[in-house]
Amino acid sequence: MFSYLRERFSSHLRERSRRRARLVSKDGRCNIEFGNVEQSRFVFLIDIWTTILDLRWRYKMTIFISAFLGSWFLFGLLWYVVAYIHKDLPEFNPSINHTPCVENINGLTSAFLFSLETQVTIGYGFRCVTEQCATAIFLLIFQSILGVIINSFMCGAILAKISRSKNRAKTITFSKNAVISKRGGKLCLLIRVANLRKSLLIGSHIYGKLLKTTITPEGETIILDQVNIEFVVDAGNENLFFISPLTIYHIIDSNSPFFHMAAETLLQQDFELVVFLDGTVEATSATCQVRTSYIPEEVLWGYRFAPIVSKTKEGKYRVDFQNFSKTVAVDTPHCAFCLYNEKEAKAKEKKGYDNPGFVLSEVSETSDTKM
C-alpha cells in the first residue's frame, strides 16, 4: 500500500513538473526570464513611457504620489530659500516698510503650502508673489510649467493604464482542451474560442505556433523552435464575425507537424501549441492580442466539442457556456497517415485497381464440332 501511494505521488509530481514547463500559461502570460543582460538597466529610462505603463499598479501609484509630493516639497524648499535670502522670515525682524518676495511665508510649512497652491492652482488666498524680486517671479513660472508637465504625464499614464486593450483581452476565452477528430472528411485539430462581450473585435485574425525542440541535420539543437500552424474557420482565418463562439480547426495533412503523431504516441511528444488571436477593439480602436497554449496532456484525440448554440422559442440564439469546454467521444482514426491510406485504398477500389474479388478461372475448349 505504501509503495502504491509513493508511486502515485511521484507520478503526480512528474506530471505537475511537466505541466509547469510551458512558455505561455493558459491566461497568456509568458514564462520567461532574462539573465546576464549586458546592457544597463538605465536603458529602460530611455523608454520611460512604456516602463511606466508596464509597472504594476502598486508601483505606479507609488510613483504617482511620490512625483507630486516630491515636487511640492522641493519647490517648498526653494520658496523657503528665496524668503530666507530676501530676509522675509520673522526671525529677521523685517521692518514695517519691508516688501517680501512672497506675502505671508513664515516658515517651511507655509512655504510648502504656497508651493502646493501654486502647482495645483487652487487659489493663493492671502499668500501671493509680489513684484519685489525677479527670482520669485521666475520660480513661479518655472513651477507652473513643470507642474503642468507632471500632471499631463502622470494623469496620461493612469488613463493609458486603465484603457489598455490588455483588459479587453481578458473577455476572450479559449477552451480548456484542444481536440482531434474528423471534420469534413479530414482529420483536424479543433479549438473553441468565445467573445464574452457583445461588442465585436474588428479585423480579427487567428494563428498558432508549435514550439518544440528540434535537431538540425548539422547536429544543432534548437530549443523552442517555432513552426507555423494555420487555423481556419469555415469562412477563413481573417475578419472573423466573432459574435458567437467559434470552433477553429487546423487540418492535419502531410504538411502539418501533427501528421506523424498518433493517438498512442501523443502523450510521449514534447511540444507546446500557442494560439494567438489579434483584433481591434471596437470601442477604442486599439489593437489587442489574446494568447493561450496547449501541451500534449491538453490535446484529446478522438473527441469533438459538444453543441453550445441553440435557438429559443422567442427566436433568439442562446449560448450555453456550461458546454463550452465539454467534449464528446467520437470515432476517429488513430493517426492521420491511416486515414489518408484508407481513403486512397477506397479510391482505388472504386476505380477497379487491385480488386481482391477478381478470380481468374480456366475454361477448357473442345475441338469437336458438328457440321
Side-chain angles (χ1 to χ4, degrees), residues 235-246:
N237 63 344
E238 295 184 356
N239 299 324
L240 304 178
F241 185 50
F242 204 10
I243 192 64
S244 63
L246 298 176

Side-chain angles (χ1 to χ4, degrees), residues 211-226:
L211 308 179
K212 60 180 181 178
T213 302
T214 59
I215 301 177
T216 63
E218 294 78 16
E220 180 186 2
T221 301
I222 302 178
I223 301 177
L224 297 180
D225 185 25
Q226 300 184 15

Side-chain angles (χ1 to χ4, degrees), residues 30-166:
C30 295
N31 180 26
I32 191 171
E33 63 179 16
F34 299 100
N36 300 325
V37 180
E38 296 181 357
Q39 291 182 339
S40 174
R41 293 184 179 272
F42 288 102
V43 297
F44 294 101
L45 297 178
I46 299 176
D47 189 13
I48 186 64
W49 178 255
T50 306
T51 302
I52 293 295
L53 290 183
D54 290 340
L55 289 176
R56 296 180 179 271
W57 273 108
R58 53 180 176 267
Y59 302 125
K60 184 184 292 293
M61 295 306 299
T62 301
I63 295 176
F64 182 85
I65 296 173
S66 300
F68 284 103
L69 289 180
S71 62
W72 297 339
F73 184 74
L74 175 62
F75 279 99
L77 289 177
L78 294 178
W79 287 115
Y80 179 80
V81 171
V82 170
Y84 184 86
I85 294 176
H86 199 255
K87 300 183 183 301
D88 297 336
L89 300 177
E91 55 262 29
F92 293 105
N93 297 319
S95 62
I96 299 177
N97 297 327
H98 177 77
T99 303
C101 289
V102 181
E103 296 281 357
N104 299 308
I105 286 187
N106 302 318
L108 187 59
T109 303
S110 58
F112 174 79
L113 292 176
F114 179 73
S115 173
L116 172 64
E117 294 169 355
T118 300
Q119 190 162 329
V120 300
T121 62
I122 60 176
Y124 292 99
F126 65 101
R127 296 188 185 92
C128 60
V129 178
T130 64
E131 69 278 4
Q132 182 64 26
C133 53
T135 305
I137 298 175
F138 173 79
L139 185 60
L140 175 66
I141 296 173
F142 182 73
Q143 184 178 5
S144 299
I145 296 175
L146 186 63
V148 172
I149 295 175
I150 294 176
N151 289 337
S152 302
F153 185 87
M154 299 309 301
C155 294
I158 296 295
L159 179 61
K161 182 75 171 179
I162 295 175
S163 61
R164 291 185 75 178
S165 56
K166 183 178 179 181

Side-chain angles (χ1 to χ4, degrees), residues 252-266:
I252 303 178
D253 53 13
S254 58
N255 297 322
S256 172
F258 294 95
F259 184 76
H260 298 286
M261 300 182 188
E264 296 82 4
T265 62
L266 180 63

